[in-house]
Amino acid sequence: MKVLLILYSAGKHAADEPKLLGCTENELGIRKWLESQGHTLVTTSHKDGPNNDLDKHIVDSDIVITTPFHPGYITKERIDKAKKLKLLVVAGVGSDHIDLDYINKSDKKISVLEVTGSNVVSVAEHVVMTMLVLVRNFVPAHEMIMRGDWDVAEVAKDTYDLENKVIATVGCGRIGYRVLERLVSFNPKELLYYDYQALPKEAEEKVGAKRVIDLEELLGKADVVTINCPLHDGTKGLFNKQLISKMKKGAWLVNTARGAICVAEDVAEAVQSGQLRGYGGDVWNVQPAPKDHPWRKMANKYHAGNAMTPHVSGTSLDAQIRYAQGTKDILESFLSGKKDYKQKDVILLDGHYITKAYGEHKK
């Protein structure tokens, strides 16, 4: 079978660190294993623009592997081109770059799986880090030192503690709950969560979290808000100008879920005006993000308006080991003919959605 693998290119960094498995040079560590069984592996980072490799090779590929970090967008047009495609694997978590609904409505028997849980710890840690970076005004302090200056007051005038703050998560599944677990030690004033279903009582009591059913009510109470819900029709563009206006003035917003959950221009405007004291995001709507994206240069009078990263929260070296192994397990199950996948990894099976609660709380 022909396997098409879409990853980012790492150049010299791949040689520096062999554990950087999620790049074109190291190929999730699966080339020798696949070729030893007689399969063909094509690896590329060229996924956009005219005559790109993704469009060229998807035509006769049996399996396509992508990641959320350098996503190969599997559109309706590409699905129609892929006459032999049987399996789509997400090396990581998050399949919104694939037109799942089109596959489900068509007669194509394409299965879609992701390595569920492979990077939940990594993302949760990144969320807490971003909160601290914003609240402690770290970025301006670091930049000051790097340019050779020393003005304690300039930074201290907008430096706060997480302790005694109201912190809320929008979405409290695998990642959102782990964020709450890690925040307990900071002695917050209150931990709140918004989700379509309540946590189990024992999980709620463990972290002392309170569910708020009304989203606007939750946002009006929180000093720090973290977005940890999936992207779908109900959450796309959710954080727009109107909803952000319901937030406590000067609150901090963190988003490691999906860029499209926020309206980019509205977030940038809120940071500029001071409605948001700062925005820390790891995800962008279309990745890589264009150089003129408004989130790249957000700033305000508070100085700590911007703490952006290039979707690295879920791809620490530890996470790469997990999602590389998970991808291999899925491939092994498919290629052996057993198809004994872990249910939690399956999104579409032979072209159809399986029944499972997205965001189900699992420890």
Side-chain angles (χ1 to χ4, degrees), residues 6-7 44-48 54 58 64-75 78 88 90 95-99 287:
I6 311 296
L7 299 171
T44 184
S45 63
H46 190 205
K47 63 187 181 69
D48 300 309
L54 174 51
I58 200 171
V64 174
I65 304 169
T66 67
T67 75
F69 317 108
H70 184 79
Y73 292 92
I74 310 301
T75 60
R78 283 172 167 165
L88 280 164
V90 179
S95 54
D96 50 278
H97 57 285
I98 300 170
D99 195 333
Q287 296 179 171

Side-chain angles (χ1 to χ4, degrees), residues 265-277:
E265 294 77 13
D266 292 354
V267 168
E269 181 183 326
V271 170
Q272 184 69 33
S273 70
Q275 172 62 22
L276 288 177
R277 192 174 291 269

Side-chain angles (χ1 to χ4, degrees), residues 231 235-239 255 258-263 283-285 295:
L231 175 66
T235 60
K236 187 173 183 179
L238 176 64
F239 277 79
N255 180 15
R258 284 296 179 266
I261 294 174
C262 294
V263 177
V283 284
W284 309 70
N285 185 14
W295 289 351

Side-chain angles (χ1 to χ4, degrees), residues 110-113 339 341 346-354:
I110 301 171
S111 294
V112 181
L113 289 89
K339 298 184 180 180
Y341 309 120
V346 182
I347 299 168
L348 294 177
L349 187 61
D350 295 328
H352 300 291
Y353 286 110
I354 67 162

Side-chain angles (χ1 to χ4, degrees), residues 160-291:
Y160 296 83
D161 298 331
L162 269 183
E163 183 171 81
N164 205 35
K165 298 294 185 296
V166 177
I167 308 175
T169 176
V170 178
C172 199
R174 293 180 177 90
I175 294 172
Y177 185 76
R178 282 167 174 76
V179 170
L180 296 183
E181 285 184 314
R182 284 153 178 77
L183 289 171
V184 171
S185 62
F186 287 93
N187 298 316
K189 181 177 182 180
E190 196 170 21
L191 289 176
L192 306 176
Y193 74 96
Y194 173 85
D195 202 289
Y196 74 97
Q197 64 178 4
L199 291 167
K201 184 179 179 181
E202 61 275 15
E204 206 172 68
E205 290 177 348
K206 179 183 175 183
V207 297
K210 177 183 176 183
R211 184 187 183 203
V212 180
I213 297 175
D214 184 87
L215 179 57
E216 291 186 3
E217 179 186 347
L218 174 130
L219 296 178
K221 293 179 176 180
D223 299 296
V224 186
V225 177
T226 170
I227 302 172
N228 297 292
C229 58
L231 175 66
H232 50 67
D233 289 343
T235 60
K236 187 173 183 179
L238 176 64
F239 277 79
N240 56 21
K241 184 174 184 177
Q242 180 180 359
L243 188 64
I244 293 171
S245 72
K246 305 299 182 181
M247 296 178 67
K248 183 183 291 187
K249 184 174 176 58
W252 295 275
L253 180 61
V254 176
N255 180 15
T256 56
R258 284 296 179 266
I261 294 174
C262 294
V263 177
E265 294 77 13
D266 292 354
V267 168
E269 181 183 326
V271 170
Q272 184 69 33
S273 70
Q275 172 62 22
L276 288 177
R277 192 174 291 269
Y279 177 81
D282 181 57
V283 284
W284 309 70
N285 185 14
V286 179
Q287 296 179 171
K291 293 185 182 299

Side-chain angles (χ1 to χ4, degrees), residues 138-149:
F138 176 84
V139 174
H142 173 71
E143 290 177 343
M144 173 192 293
I145 292 301
M146 295 301 290
R147 66 174 179 262
D149 295 336

